[in-house]
Amino acid sequence: MNDFTYCLPTNFVFGKSKETETGAYVKMYGGTKVLIHYGGGSVKRSGLLDRVKASLEEEGISYVELGGVKPNPRDGLVYEGIELCRKEGVDFILAVGGGSTIDSSKAIAVGTLYQGDFWDFYAGKLPVSEALPVGAVLTIAAAGSESSTSSVITQESTLTKTSIKTTKVRPKFAIMNPGLTETLPPYQTASGATDICAHVLERYFTNTPEVEVTDRLCEAILLTMIREVPRVLEDPHNYEARANIMWAGTLAHNDTCGVGRQQDWATHHLEHTISALIDCAHGAGLAVMFPAWMKYNYKHDVARFVRLAVNVWGCEENTDDPEETALAGIACWENFFRSIGMPVRLSELGVTEAEIPKLLELLGGDDHLEGNFVVLDKKACEEIYRLAL
Amino acid sequence: MNDFTYCLPTNFVFGKSKETETGAYVKMYGGTKVLIHYGGGSVKRSGLLDRVKASLEEEGISYVELGGVKPNPRDGLVYEGIELCRKEGVDFILAVGGGSTIDSSKAIAVGTLYQGDFWDFYAGKLPVSEALPVGAVLTIAAAGSESSTSSVITQESTLTKTSIKTTKVRPKFAIMNPGLTETLPPYQTASGATDICAHVLERYFTNTPEVEVTDRLCEAILLTMIREVPRVLEDPHNYEARANIMWAGTLAHNDTCGVGRQQDWATHHLEHTISALIDCAHGAGLAVMFPAWMKYNYKHDVARFVRLAVNVWGCEENTDDPEETALAGIACWENFFRSIGMPVRLSELGVTEAEIPKLLELLGGDDHLEGNFVVLDKKACEEIYRLAL
């Protein structure tokens, strides 16, 4: 196990109707003038936005609003948010939505206090030194952004999708009512679930030896997902299954299952170029890319793939031919993603061979390397995209 | 799943030689005059105390010392610590040791700021409203006190062993170097490991339905323990196995695997009376009492015991006779505790039938009830003690 430090001070408020307590938590963390940041009309239609506003008003907290966050959130709205926050003297950013809204909120939180262009941070020009406090009312189990230190934003002009990683943007609190996810369309539910599985898999594929406890935690979260996701797709109003998925989604990305081990993250980056290019759901892109990444890399550590196949999918171990077991496990992932309505080929996303050069260009320069479990050069990335066709 | 709030702000600093960073963390959390609280001579002999002191001196932090904490820590030393802290103007309590030392430190932290008798809090007369900040340098994987909100103290005059539970005493940081546990005698290592398993089992036995994700996390920690504990007993210097156990110990008691579910805790209380009476290792008492508790209660929810047997011990499920599988799982626990050198009968601890009335008296008055999975009256508790003879 590697050395690590770990501190997760986010205050989780989990359960039915918890959004009605939002105001009290904003107050607890010092917010007096709030930007409510959200996506489309669903938070209005469902009445969620009204409940959140009522809760702020109850505490005497004033607010301004900025809607319009889209999946794969863009820099354009971030600039708008920063301007609004400065003009209105906002001191707290409240995200009401999913990962995209929370990521956009984190960018606004960072940019409002910085006199230059907030993209400087995302371009890696300088580290984040301060940010407005952020809180989240979560409406989809997926990105784990409600307690993570990261934020991914796409620059519209270049389609560059990059991220920051800093404790400064970790939400102070996360209001998590699984009931709010009951109205999600099945495709979004499944995309979110795929993202959760991918967050675990990025941690599971490691070269760090002797990480039994986090291996087991990874497997625990994956086992939960493969049990619960079909249940919510069958009955979208299954609160209990929604609750298990929602908490699994948080654990999958707050490093509960990732401390003390090298992590990979190639697949996420291979996917970011796809969703930046064609604006597909991040989870859908991951469902395509993870099986392809696995097929390309399983020989690097067959035993790890065998372990995953046996412990998560219950595959019988073929000790004479471990590669067979490893491949059986990979097939289980592909079948699982397909069974929950996800694409598992680039073609299903409408991406053809002709777009691979563009994906590779978006990935980085000629010397660009991806991943840690196996370090992939551009040629290897190209082959993985081809395997995904 | 039940509603819950969860916030774990303890800063974990995990890995080799991390004790040399103690001073920096004390400073980070505002300590200027420290009480270093510890147990016996081992922290002196090993040089740990010197390394911690050097680290404080490096940061210009002054300190006083109070050693002498014993397993099942007593109120006597707490009073002494409180007096010392007041006299010396201590503003930070640094525990260097295991659960007993950290629990004693928490009591001193609470008592120093309270003008009355600190036992008022442990007697449940009033809630804790403030405490000095506490930090921990952990030397044994067991109690989970390094990030828990609880502290258990025994009142010498009455042998009453009671606890407080308040976020005010949660350690600000926990320095966790698994290497420090390599010199523990096997019996203490095994006692600690049993305590860790028990912390998970107290959470596992629940009546809350639909808690798949925390069920799986509980199983993950137990699977880790049954793999790693025999390895450290075979080779006490197996750092990797020690590391997995140490982190599992923290996860077992910081509610990572316990949120959103009813928990039991009868077995811990049934044990507290034993260690209060005969001053045995808490873990040893748990190894005796948990199998007895299971044998008495498994019929309440055979399916849960079957799940534990199958998922953790790999027992084959007998669908015609689930009770057989449940009992096979219970036998696995008893065999496991025995295999790691723990007693599994009260007689092995020197406790006879004649002492049962005294244990019951220490447990509480005639109307006293224990547990949540099954609510036990005094008669039921007596039967469990008898099963453990």
Side-chain angles (χ1 to χ4, degrees), chain B residues 95-215:
Chain B
V96 181
S100 297
T101 300
I102 303 171
D103 280 10
S104 186
S105 297
K106 289 171 174 176
I108 295 171
V110 162
T112 300
L113 297 183
Y114 175 60
Q115 290 319 305
D117 181 354
F118 90 96
W119 193 256
D120 290 349
F121 300 110
Y122 287 75
K125 287 190 191 160
L126 76 169
V128 174
S129 60
E130 56 177 344
L132 288 177
V134 175
V137 179
L138 191 64
T139 59
I140 173 169
S145 189
E146 67 277 7
S147 71
S148 81
T149 55
S150 57
S151 158
V152 185
I153 300 290
T154 301
Q155 190 175 44
E156 282 166 296
S157 59
T158 62
L159 291 185
T160 309
K161 195 171 181 178
T162 63
S163 61
I164 54 168
K165 201 170 165 60
T166 163
T167 56
K168 306 283 179 196
V169 299
R170 197 198 294 275
K172 301 298 179 195
F173 65 81
I175 308 266
M176 301 173 70
N177 172 3
L180 297 179
T181 69
E182 287 180 31
T183 51
L184 283 173
Y187 192 81
Q188 264 186 271
T189 297
S191 295
T194 304
D195 196 17
I196 292 169
C197 292
H199 288 155
V200 178
L201 292 170
E202 297 282 16
R203 291 169 167 92
Y204 194 74
F205 293 112
T206 187
N207 294 306
T208 310
E210 296 275 14
V211 284
E212 182 71 10
V213 64
T214 43
D215 272 351

Side-chain angles (χ1 to χ4, degrees), chain A residues 170-182:
Chain A
R170 196 198 295 274
K172 301 298 178 194
F173 64 82
I175 308 265
M176 301 173 70
N177 172 3
L180 297 179
T181 70
E182 288 181 32

